[in-house]
Amino acid sequence: MLEMTDYQISRSTMALVPIAHERLCTKIIDRNGIYYSTQTAKELLELACYDDGCTMDGKRKAVTYTLRINQKIPLPINPRKNIYAFPTTSPDKFDCIWIFVTHIQGIISIDKHKTLIRFKNNEKLIVHVSKYIIEEQQKRTTLCMLRFGDIDQLA
């Protein structure tokens, strides 16, 4: 287990998964490996948003205002670097996983309430929400990318 207390979200971040551990809070699935952090996903996301000059709450409010999305709001973490993520459930719930949309290769339904996400590097992650919810979140995040992103980076 590789513990990183100072992990920074980057273009290689694929998912943030909460864990119940005495010291660690987040499992980070990254193109370069699996890491663990003492910071929560919200704390990691907040710091990444600061790097882009805004708070996480400010970015969420901008998405809500612009796209009229009020729940499970996708997050334009750093549009200049093409870093966007979406929550699998309400970010206030412990089991909320953040998926970084540009890494998704495929979405496979396991059953009514369980979905396998396959990333472009062949890593896999099972989430406890339906395929429909993941696909809808992916669509919302794509809208967010079109609204806030640099069109040249979306290709």
Side-chain angles (χ1 to χ4, degrees), residues 35-46:
Y35 305 101
Y36 294 86
S37 177
T38 56
Q39 295 176 300
T40 65
K42 276 188 177 180
E43 290 169 334
L44 291 165
L45 290 164
E46 187 72 61

Side-chain angles (χ1 to χ4, degrees), residues 6-147:
D6 59 350
Y7 180 87
Q8 291 184 331
I9 289 172
S10 69
R11 290 179 65 139
S12 64
T13 308
M14 299 189 308
L16 302 175
V17 182
I19 55 173
H21 185 270
E22 62 191 38
R23 199 171 19 94
L24 303 173
C25 298
T26 308
K27 175 182 177 181
I28 301 150
I29 302 172
D30 188 286
R31 269 196 323 247
N32 302 312
I34 305 293
Y35 305 101
Y36 294 86
S37 177
T38 56
Q39 295 176 300
T40 65
K42 276 188 177 180
E43 290 169 334
L44 291 165
L45 290 164
E46 187 72 61
L47 291 172
C49 288
Y50 287 162
D51 283 344
D52 192 46
C54 192
T55 63
M56 184 175 169
D57 189 51
K59 288 178 179 279
R60 293 181 76 219
K61 285 178 181 175
V63 172
T64 296
Y65 175 79
T66 306
L67 301 177
R68 305 289 185 243
I69 296 171
N70 296 308
Q71 295 179 334
K72 294 183 280 191
I73 301 162
L75 191 60
I77 298 164
N78 192 323
R80 289 177 292 116
K81 294 181 180 177
N82 201 28
I83 303 173
Y84 296 82
F86 64 80
T88 57
T89 185
S90 167
D92 295 329
K93 292 186 176 181
F94 172 78
D95 61 347
C96 177
I97 297 171
W98 286 87
I99 306 294
F100 290 70
V101 72
T102 58
H103 296 283
I104 296 174
Q105 178 71 42
I107 301 166
I108 302 163
S109 179
I110 294 173
D111 64 31
K112 190 175 178 181
H113 301 290
K114 200 184 295 183
T115 304
L116 181 129
I117 298 173
R118 189 166 49 87
F119 295 103
K120 291 177 182 174
N121 70 347
N122 288 320
E123 280 286 331
K124 294 175 180 81
L125 175 65
I126 294 174
V127 294
H128 294 274
V129 295
S130 70
K131 179 181 178 186
Y132 174 81
I133 287 175
I134 297 300
E135 289 174 339
E136 285 301 304
Q137 286 300 88
Q138 189 176 28
K139 287 177 196 172
R140 289 173 158 198
T141 309
T142 300
L143 287 174
C144 186
M145 293 168 79
L146 290 170
R147 173 58 182 86

